[in-house]
Amino acid sequence: MTSQSLTPSPPRHTIAAIATAPGRGGIGVVRVSGFELMALTHALIGKSLKPRVATLATFLDTDRETIDQGVAIYFPAPHSYTGEDVLELQGHGGPVVMQSLLRRCFEVGCKIARPGEFTERAFLNSKIDLAQAEGVADIIEATSAAAAKSAARTLTGEFSANVHALTRALTDLRMHVEACIDFPEEEIDPADHRALQSKLKEIRGLQAALARRSKLGAILRDGVTVVLIGAPNVGKSSLLNCLAGDEVAIVTPIAGTTRDHVRATILLEGVPIHLIDTAGIRVTDDEVEKIGIARTWSAIEHAGAALLITEAGYATAANELEILGRLPNDLMVAVVHNKIDLLGSQYVSRETRVMESSARSLQVSAVTGEGIDALRRWLLEVAGWLPSAEGVFLARERHLLALDEAAAHTSKAAALGEQLELFAEELRLAQLALSSITGEFTPDDLLGEIFGRFCVGK
Ligand SMILES: Nc1nc2c(ncn2[C@@H]2O[C@H](COP(=O)(O)OP(=O)(O)OP(=O)(O)O)[C@@H](O)[C@H]2O)c(=O)[nH]1
Ligand SMILES: [Mg+2]
């Protein structure tokens, strides 16, 4: 694995791709990026373009026949998305016409752009930093308005500005420490020492605030996976349908209806909750059902939380206690007593109370919707969501890891007392961890992975 401290030069060849989504649309865009696009522009539209002026153009094939008519815009380097010369051809959004236009671009020398290559070039040409580039992918992928808003904060550079403010504060503090180290024969002035510690405390406060905003963003981005488990016929699929507001799973009075997983993602305050309905767990000789039950256990292993659904009013079955006992210790569990609409008076069995001692207990009816709001609140709680007055940043796992690593180093520094060389070293390591977020020090293979997940044309 090689690390880059200086951004490598982007490749020089010209790339092209369809930038709009596949399928039919009012407008389709082919985007070209490279250098010296004059000749290429001439070949494509038979004339030159004024920079940044939308110009009506006829897109021509090799025989000067019309492929389409549309608008062409030329953005000369460096004032373009990629920092290179960019040509945008806006035609009619039909798949055939877009493919013909793209083929024409290849004929005149363009190569097909890899997924994310335009944004990768923007990064390599220092138009944006790595966190901003990730913000571009995240705003495209956003599944809720809240997630899109948070991604916008990252792509416009607000997240990076916060990271840079922290690295600048660390640089200032390092300079202060280095000045003290330069005169080793002198004792450190206790006032100096207090000043260093107080500055470090301030930095740690900033770090904690940034981590808080980023963790909330990660929740908005990734959400939590919740499995619905329990004995057959307790109403798991009905509850999934009730939460999803749609008939996603088959519901029947026959025990053993659900065989395979049924998935549905719901958004609660913009947080995606990935629900998985599973096959009811019981001892069975049915081969298909056995496989379904094995899949239930595998879904439990990968989940962040579980709803153990039981039928309200009935003593807890040995089977249900056994399921509860087999659940991983770190799994968040709520015992959901379903079908409360069938109860005349509220009845909670003794065994149920025993069961509830280790898990949250909720009473609901998948049929009437009673208790479902409390269940939604619990789901948001297990996702770790807290309404926040400060803006949230749509952070990724690697950002959170870098922020945690930086916090670990500043925490070590805080515990060091007067060992200034070690103190300075911890600050340096904290700074290095933070720099990986914006891409100043990022392994090349990580760059490949980040940009490889983009869509083509971005
Ligand atoms: N009255 C009432 N009936 C319910 C409720 N929830 C589910 N049911 C009924 O219970 C039966 C079983 O519901 P399902 O949702 O298929 O149960 P399941 O747990 O998914 O069952 P399996 O897939 O077989 O494991 C159906 O007849 C539902 O209509 C509820 O809250 N109240
Ligand atoms: Mg079911």
Side-chain angles (χ1 to χ4, degrees):
M1 199 156 87
T2 53
S3 275
Q4 57 167 56
S5 55
L6 280 173
T7 310
S9 313
R12 305 288 298 181
H13 66 265
T14 301
I15 51 171
I18 300 170
T20 36
R24 295 195 175 96
I27 294 175
V29 176
V30 169
R31 189 189 243 172
V32 178
S33 179
F35 289 95
E36 287 140 27
L37 298 185
M38 284 298 177
L40 182 141
T41 306
H42 252 279
L44 288 174
I45 61 170
K47 60 181 172 189
S48 316
L49 291 169
K50 281 196 194 144
R52 289 176 295 282
V53 174
T55 307
L56 184 67
T58 305
F59 309 143
L60 304 168
D61 69 11
T62 344
D63 306 320
R64 314 305 276 172
E65 297 266 348
T66 302
I67 299 172
D68 191 11
Q69 194 177 47
V71 169
I73 314 177
Y74 169 55
F75 302 89
H79 304 295
S80 69
Y81 181 67
T82 58
E84 303 171 348
D85 287 345
V86 167
L87 178 66
E88 267 189 26
L89 303 172
Q90 306 180 355
H92 294 97
V96 175
V97 68
M98 281 290 111
Q99 284 300 336
S100 306
L101 193 52
L102 183 63
R103 253 198 318 278
R104 180 71 187 127
C105 292
F106 299 153
E107 280 169 12
V108 296
C110 300
K111 291 190 176 158
I112 180 81
R114 284 181 281 107
E117 194 171 357
F118 290 93
T119 309
E120 184 180 12
R121 288 187 176 200
F123 166 67
L124 295 176
N125 288 314
S126 305
K127 294 293 291 184
I128 51 174
D129 66 32
L130 196 54
Q132 287 177 286
E134 289 166 317
V136 171
D138 290 343
I139 201 164
I140 293 172
E141 300 281 324
T143 51
S144 67
K149 204 167 162 189
S150 312
R153 274 193 201 103
T154 306
L155 91 89
T156 54
E158 197 182 322
F159 177 55
S160 304
N162 274 263
V163 174
H164 284 137
L166 260 178
T167 42
R168 264 199 311 279
L170 282 165
T171 308
D172 288 350
L173 185 55
R174 279 177 69 193
M175 277 160 52
H176 196 149
V177 179
E178 299 295 342
C180 295
I181 297 174
D182 281 346
F183 302 99
E185 64 286 355
E186 290 174 21
E187 287 277 298
I188 316 181
D189 183 344
D192 258 348
H193 187 247
R194 273 198 304 278
L196 290 182
Q197 283 297 343
S198 121
K199 183 75 195 153
L200 181 62
K201 197 169 163 202
E202 207 177 290
I203 291 176
R204 287 177 50 71
L206 287 176
Q207 269 183 326
L210 184 58
R212 204 169 42 243
R213 297 172 74 181
S214 308
K215 279 186 181 131
L216 286 175
I219 293 167
L220 265 189
R221 199 187 124 85
D222 302 326
V224 64
T225 299
V226 181
V227 279
L228 284 75
I229 55 171
N233 231 19
V234 291
K236 300 177 293 301
S237 303
S238 304
L239 202 56
L240 176 82
N241 292 348
C242 172
L243 286 166
D246 197 7
E247 298 299 307
V248 266
I250 299 171
V251 168
T252 76
I254 304 160
T257 300
T258 306
R259 298 301 183 93
D260 213 340
H261 297 167
V262 181
R263 294 167 192 269
T265 295
I266 58 169
L267 290 174
L268 298 179
E269 294 184 23
V271 177
I273 312 281
H274 311 290
L275 298 168
I276 306 181
D277 176 27
T278 61
I281 299 170
R282 65 171 167 183
V283 178
T284 174
D285 291 330
D286 183 316
E287 280 308 311
V288 181
E289 199 177 349
K290 269 189 196 166
I291 297 169
I293 293 168
R295 288 188 179 192
T296 298
W297 284 109
S298 128
I300 291 169
E301 264 175 47
H302 297 105
L307 300 177
L308 175 62
I309 297 147
T310 73
E311 262 191 58
Y314 288 88
T316 312
N319 181 19
E320 288 166 340
L321 285 172
E322 203 184 313
I323 296 171
L324 200 69
R326 264 187 76 180
L327 295 178
N329 285 338
D330 56 352
L331 190 73
M332 306 275 281
V333 182
V335 178
V336 180
H337 306 285
N338 187 31
K339 308 193 187 183
I340 54 169
D341 56 298
L342 296 179
L343 293 181
S345 58
Q346 298 288 318
Y347 162 74
V348 180
S349 74
R350 206 172 64 80
E351 291 90 333
T352 304
R353 274 198 222 107
V354 171
M355 224 164 110
E356 281 160 12
S357 58
S358 61
R360 178 74 69 87
S361 162
L362 295 161
Q363 311 230 336
V364 304
S365 166
V367 167
T368 65
E370 202 179 334
I372 297 296
D373 279 344
L375 175 55
R376 288 198 185 100
R377 280 197 295 280
W378 185 81
L379 289 170
L380 273 175
E381 198 182 299
V382 295
W385 181 249
L386 298 165
S388 155
E390 341 166 80
V392 169
F393 295 123
L394 206 66
R396 296 178 166 209
E397 189 61 25
R398 72 168 200 95
H399 302 152
L400 298 185
L401 289 174
L403 288 170
D404 279 353
E405 194 184 329
H409 287 300
T410 50
S411 144
K412 272 193 199 158
L416 273 173
E418 296 188 1
Q419 297 153 280
L420 287 191
E421 276 89 357
L422 295 178
F423 186 88
E425 178 58 9
E426 292 300 343
L427 298 184
R428 191 185 69 80
L429 293 171
Q431 220 175 358
L432 200 65
L434 289 173
S435 306
S436 73
I437 294 179
T438 45
E440 278 93 346
F441 296 93
T442 306
D444 287 345
D445 45 5
L446 179 64
L447 290 184
E449 194 187 312
I450 288 170
F451 290 108
R453 291 187 185 186
F454 275 65
C455 43
V456 175
K458 194 67 226 180

